[in-house]
Amino acid sequence: MPQNKEAMKKISKLSVFGYGAGDAANSMIISTGNMFLLVYYTDVAGIGAAAAGTLLLVARIFNAFTDIAAGRIVDRVHSRRWGKFRPFLMFGFIPLLLSVAVFHVPDADPALKLLYAYCTYGLVCVAYSMVNVPYGCLVGAMTQDARDRARLGGARTIGGLSVGATLGFFIAPLLGAGHDMQQIFTWLTLAFAVVGSGLYVLTGAVCVERVAGSVPKVTLGQSIAALKANSPLVVLCLSSILFVTGTSATGAAQFFYLRDVLSRVDLFPVMAGAQVLITLTLAVLLPRPVARWGKRAVYSAGGALGVVGGVLVFLAPADAPWLGLAGLVLGLLASASVSILTWALIADTVEYGEWKTGVRVQGINYALLAATRKLGMGFGGGLVAFSLAWGGYVSGTAEQSDAATLAIRAAAGLLPGALVLAAVGIMYWYRLTDQKHAELVASLSRDAT
C-alpha cells in the first residue's frame, strides 16, 4: 500500500511545469519539422515536392520502428537513483543538434541533396525516439490520479503549443516577406538547441517517478503478452494514427493555404495567438467535462469539431478568409483537446495491461502509441506533398494554378476532415471508461496489500 498511497498524492506545480517544459523542448524538434520542413525542402533546398513527400513518409515510417525499439530499451533499463525514464532526458541535446544539420542541406547535385536529407532526418528520428519515448512514459510513472494525469496532459500540450505559437508569431511571417530563409532557420535551430537542452535537464530534475513497475526489467515475452491482452491500447492507436494524419496534414498545408489560397499569410500570427488561447483555456477547463462525461466522450466531441473545421477550410471562398480561418480554429480546438486526452488515455492503458497480465509495461505501450503518431505525421506530411505535386504546385510562383489551389484546399481541409471522422468512429470500440479504470486501479491496490 505505501507505493499506491504515494502514487495518489497530488503532484507539485513545479513537477507539472517541468513536465510541460519537456514537451516544449520536444516541439523545438518536431513542430519546427512539421511546420516548416516541407517548405524548407521545396523552397530553400530545391528538392521536388514529390521527392520531399516521399522522404517525409519514409522517415516517419522509419521513426515508428525506432520508437518501438526505444520502448523495448526503456523497459529493459532501470536506475535505482533516477528511475527508468529520467536518465534518457539528459541526452536531449543530441536530436536538437541534429535538427540544425537537417535545416542545412548543402547546395550540391540533386541526388546528393536528397541523400543528405534522408541521412540527417533519419538520425534525428533515432535520437528523438530515445528521448521522446521515455518522456511520454513519465505520466504513468509520476501519478495514478486521474485529475493529475489530466493536468500533466494539459501541461504537455501547453509546452508544445507554446513553441508552435512562437514559430507562428515570429517565424512564419518572415518566410513570406523576402527574407533569407536559410539564415532564419540557421539561427532558429541553433537557439532551440541551446534552450531545449536546458529544458530537458529541468524535466529530468523535477519530474520524480513515484509509480514503480511490477518488475524492474520487462522481458520481450512479457511485452508481447501485455500488448496482446491490451485491446484499449489497440483501439487508441488505430484512432490516433487517423487523427494525427488528418491534423498533421492541416498543419503542413496551413502555410500554403494562407499564402496561396487566401493570400493572407499575415493571418499566421492570428493562428498562433489562437493556439495559445485555446490551449490555455482547455488545459484549465478540460478536466471538468472529463470528470462529468469521461475521456472517450470528450475525445469524440473534440474530433467532431475537427470534422466541421475541415469542411469550412475546404469550402471557404478566397474572398472570405475569415471563414477559412474559422475552420482552422476549429481544427485547433480538435487537435488540442484530443492531444491532451491522448496522453491521459495511454497512461490508463498501462494499468489495464497490468490488471490483465500482472506486468506493468510502460515503455512499449507509449512507444506503440508514439509510433502510430509518427506514422500519422508522416502520412499527413506526405499527403500534402503528394497533393501539391498532383496539383502542379510551382515553388516561387506568385499565383498558383486552380488545380494547385484545389489540391491545397483538399490537403488542408477535406481529407483531414474525413480522417478525423474515421478516428472518432473507431473510438466507439474503446471500452476502458473512466469508471472501469478506477475499478481496476482499486483492484491493483488491493492485490498489492
Side-chain angles (χ1 to χ4, degrees):
M1 275 305 277
Q3 173 62 44
N4 297 95
K5 287 182 178 180
E6 181 70 16
M8 295 301 291
K9 287 182 179 178
K10 188 177 182 65
I11 57 177
S12 68
K13 292 181 180 180
L14 179 60
S15 294
V16 174
F17 175 81
Y19 191 73
D23 206 53
N26 283 342
S27 293
M28 291 176 183
I29 304 167
I30 203 72
S31 292
T32 304
N34 287 344
M35 292 175 67
F36 300 128
L37 191 54
L38 180 58
V39 175
Y40 175 77
Y41 279 153
T42 57
D43 290 17
V44 180
I47 297 174
T54 302
L55 187 161
L56 294 175
L57 180 58
V58 171
R60 290 302 188 185
I61 294 173
F62 172 67
N63 204 180
F65 287 101
T66 63
D67 278 345
I68 294 173
R72 279 296 305 140
I73 293 172
V74 168
D75 278 335
R76 294 291 297 165
V77 171
H78 179 75
S79 167
R80 291 185 178 182
R81 181 177 180 182
W82 292 97
K84 291 182 69 66
F85 311 118
R86 293 192 294 162
F88 292 92
L89 299 179
M90 303 306 173
F91 296 94
F93 67 92
I94 297 177
L96 285 163
L97 288 176
L98 289 171
S99 293
V100 178
V102 167
F103 281 91
H104 278 79
V105 176
D107 185 12
D109 180 80
L112 290 177
K113 283 184 181 181
L114 196 58
L115 177 62
Y116 177 90
Y118 268 99
C119 291
T120 52
Y121 199 38
L123 288 173
V124 167
C125 290
V126 174
Y128 182 68
S129 291
M130 293 305 303
V131 176
N132 184 52
V133 168
Y135 167 79
C137 294
L138 272 174
V139 170
M142 290 173 67
T143 180
Q144 287 182 317
D145 180 77
R147 184 175 289 272
D148 273 349
R149 283 184 174 176
R151 290 173 65 206
L152 291 172
R156 174 173 187 160
T157 304
I158 290 172
L161 288 183
S162 65
V163 174
T166 300
L167 294 172
F169 273 124
F170 302 110
I171 304 303
L174 298 178
L175 303 183
H179 291 78
D180 185 342
M181 293 175 68
Q182 180 61 73
Q183 186 178 56
I184 291 170
F185 287 122
T186 296
W187 286 108
L188 176 69
T189 51
L190 285 173
F192 278 179
V194 175
V195 177
S197 298
L199 293 177
Y200 276 130
V201 172
L202 173 64
T203 303
V206 303
C207 293
V208 180
E209 300 173 26
R210 299 187 299 181
V211 183
S214 50
V215 291
K217 297 182 180 181
V218 182
T219 66
L220 178 61
Q222 288 170 326
S223 293
I224 294 174
L227 291 177
K228 286 182 178 179
N230 206 325
S231 57
L233 175 64
V234 174
V235 173
L236 181 61
C237 287
L238 290 174
S239 179
S240 180
I241 193 172
L242 291 170
F243 188 87
V244 175
T245 298
T247 56
S248 295
T250 299
Q254 183 172 277
F255 181 81
F256 297 97
Y257 181 75
L258 292 175
R259 185 187 66 181
D260 299 317
V261 177
L262 301 183
S263 300
R264 291 295 303 272
V265 73
D266 60 297
L267 291 177
F268 218 110
V270 176
M271 290 299 301
Q275 272 190 323
V276 174
L277 180 61
I278 288 170
T279 304
L280 290 175
T281 303
L282 289 178
V284 174
L285 298 182
L286 203 60
R288 297 178 184 178
V290 166
R292 182 171 183 179
W293 293 296
K295 299 185 191 73
R296 186 183 70 173
V298 180
Y299 182 108
S300 299
L305 294 176
V307 176
V308 176
V311 173
L312 288 178
V313 167
F314 180 68
L315 296 177
D319 58 357
W322 293 104
L323 186 60
L325 189 69
L328 292 174
V329 169
L330 287 176
L332 287 179
L333 279 167
S335 180
S337 59
V338 170
S339 178
I340 290 172
L341 292 172
T342 297
W343 306 123
L345 289 167
I346 190 62
D348 291 352
T349 67
V350 171
E351 271 93 37
Y352 180 87
E354 185 179 7
W355 176 68
K356 290 284 288 187
T357 66
V359 178
R360 187 177 182 84
V361 178
Q362 300 177 86
I364 198 66
N365 272 44
Y366 178 83
L368 188 61
L369 177 67
T372 60
R373 290 178 66 83
K374 297 292 175 55
L375 287 174
M377 291 176 188
F379 294 153
L383 182 66
V384 174
F386 294 137
S387 295
L388 294 177
W390 172 80
Y393 170 82
V394 179
S395 63
T397 301
E399 185 174 347
Q400 298 292 333
S401 66
D402 291 342
T405 56
L406 177 62
I408 294 171
R409 286 178 177 275
L414 184 63
L415 296 176
L419 290 165
V420 170
L421 179 62
V424 170
I426 287 176
M427 284 300 286
Y428 171 79
W429 285 276
Y430 185 87
R431 303 301 167 84
L432 182 57
T433 64
D434 288 8
Q435 181 180 354
K436 175 75 173 177
H437 175 257
E439 292 172 357
L440 66 86
V441 167
S443 175
L444 291 171
S445 297
R446 288 194 298 270
D447 293 342
T449 59

